[in-house]
Amino acid sequence: MKETRLAINIVKILIKDRMLYPGKLIVDTFSVVARCGILLILYWYVFKLNNGVINNTTFLFTAWSMFFYFSFSVLHLSGIARTIMQDVQSGNVEVLFSKPVSYLLYRIWWQIGSGIFSFIIISIVASILLTLAIGFPPTITIGMFLPSFTLTFLLGAVLTLCVYSIVGLLSFWIEDVNPIFWIVDKAVMILGGSYLPIALFPPLMYKIALYSPFGASLFITHTVSPSWQNNWYELIGIQLLWIFGLGIIVYWMYEQARKKVSVNGG
């Protein structure tokens, strides 16, 4: 109950802060327009040169898949890795560990709260503009789409936080986790379908994206695919398995980190 109140208060405070100081919203909007907008124009031209179909996929499905990736990235959940690292390097973690709330849960909710305002605004506005520009795929109108999309989105967020929390917690042993962060972040970017849509992956790369935690964290990019209505439960199952496995690792690392701070930090 105490953790729930803390989570709600953190998110509310950060949303109010982002509303009063919209600088981050402006930066995030520019980033999405610069990256996603240019890519969509490029792929529109490529699809046009190929008579509108590449690998049995049309531009409509590709555009929405890429949009879901960039919309999800606005949450900046990956930032928890560097936040934990900065806490360790500055010694701030010793103070936060002494508080009567879980340090890791505090950082997770702080990360969610810091990006959720930009995510909501950009996602709503951009989805309306994209619909007006190219329409929306018929798969979105299927009854099971919304509940399965919502569940996949939430599980993807949890899995992303697990992956990057592991990277961040490594800083208790190696301090500078930037090299590991870059490797993991690029793996998520590639296998998540940022610059090359999932539907255009070669068979081997598609399987890696399907069964690795890096690709599984962004299964929302699969939701517009015509095959989603047949295999959504399988993909959600993969997400749940990775969350369970990585969740155990996160818990073990966190407990070891607490002991390390207790011994070395007093």
Side-chain angles (χ1 to χ4, degrees):
M1 191 67 181
K2 180 170 58 178
E3 286 79 7
T4 303
R5 289 198 301 269
L6 175 67
I8 293 173
N9 288 333
I10 289 174
V11 173
K12 285 171 64 176
I13 290 170
L14 289 171
I15 288 177
K16 289 180 181 178
D17 180 71
R18 298 295 183 260
M19 292 174 68
L20 292 173
Y21 305 99
K24 192 173 188 301
L25 174 61
I26 295 171
V27 172
D28 287 337
T29 301
F30 178 79
S31 176
V32 170
V33 171
R35 296 164 65 196
C36 184
I38 292 174
L39 278 173
L40 290 181
I41 293 172
L42 176 63
Y43 273 102
W44 171 82
Y45 185 70
V46 171
F47 271 90
K48 185 179 179 181
L49 292 177
N50 289 271
N51 298 317
V53 179
I54 300 177
N55 199 22
N56 297 319
T57 303
T58 64
F59 174 69
L60 183 64
F61 291 105
T62 299
W64 278 93
S65 175
M66 296 179 72
F67 165 69
F68 284 154
Y69 170 87
F70 283 102
S71 176
F72 184 86
S73 69
V74 174
L75 278 169
H76 297 295
L77 298 179
S78 62
I80 192 173
R82 283 176 168 160
T83 301
I84 294 174
M85 181 185 71
Q86 290 166 3
D87 284 341
V88 173
Q89 292 177 343
S90 66
N92 191 40
V93 69
E94 296 178 18
V95 177
L96 293 173
F97 263 40
S98 66
K99 302 298 180 183
V101 294
S102 168
Y103 164 76
L104 190 58
L105 286 178
Y106 166 74
R107 277 302 174 208
I108 286 173
W109 284 110
W110 186 275
Q111 201 64 45
I112 293 172
S114 64
I116 196 168
F117 178 69
S118 294
F119 166 75
I120 293 172
I121 299 300
I122 292 174
S123 296
I124 293 174
V125 174
S127 60
I128 293 173
L129 293 176
L130 191 60
T131 300
L132 294 175
I134 64 173
F136 55 83
T139 49
I140 291 181
T141 62
I142 298 174
M144 49 73 63
F145 173 81
L146 186 58
S148 63
F149 174 85
T150 303
L151 181 58
T152 305
F153 170 81
L154 294 175
L155 292 177
V158 173
L159 182 54
T160 299
L161 288 166
C162 285
V163 169
Y164 286 99
S165 291
I166 290 173
V167 176
L169 288 170
L170 284 173
S171 60
F172 283 93
W173 290 270
I174 60 177
E175 269 195 54
D176 187 2
V177 298
N178 276 317
I180 299 173
F181 175 86
W182 292 328
I183 293 171
V184 171
D185 202 47
K186 293 302 179 289
V188 171
M189 184 181 298
I190 293 169
L191 299 176
S194 58
Y195 298 110
L196 181 65
I198 300 294
L200 304 184
F201 279 10
L204 178 60
M205 190 174 176
Y206 181 81
K207 287 183 179 180
I208 295 174
L210 201 64
Y211 296 109
S212 70
F214 311 117
S217 63
L218 282 156
F219 274 169
I220 55 168
T221 58
H222 294 246
T223 56
V224 293
S225 171
S227 63
W228 176 250
Q229 56 186 310
N230 298 319
N231 66 356
W232 64 270
Y233 52 89
E234 178 185 349
L235 300 188
I236 288 176
I238 293 172
Q239 285 183 314
L240 288 170
L241 286 174
W242 276 118
I243 289 172
F244 177 75
L246 295 185
I248 293 175
I249 295 174
V250 170
Y251 177 78
W252 180 81
M253 291 181 69
Y254 178 64
E255 289 301 314
Q256 295 303 309
R258 288 183 61 186
K259 293 177 183 177
K260 189 176 181 68
V261 170
S262 178
V263 171
N264 298 330

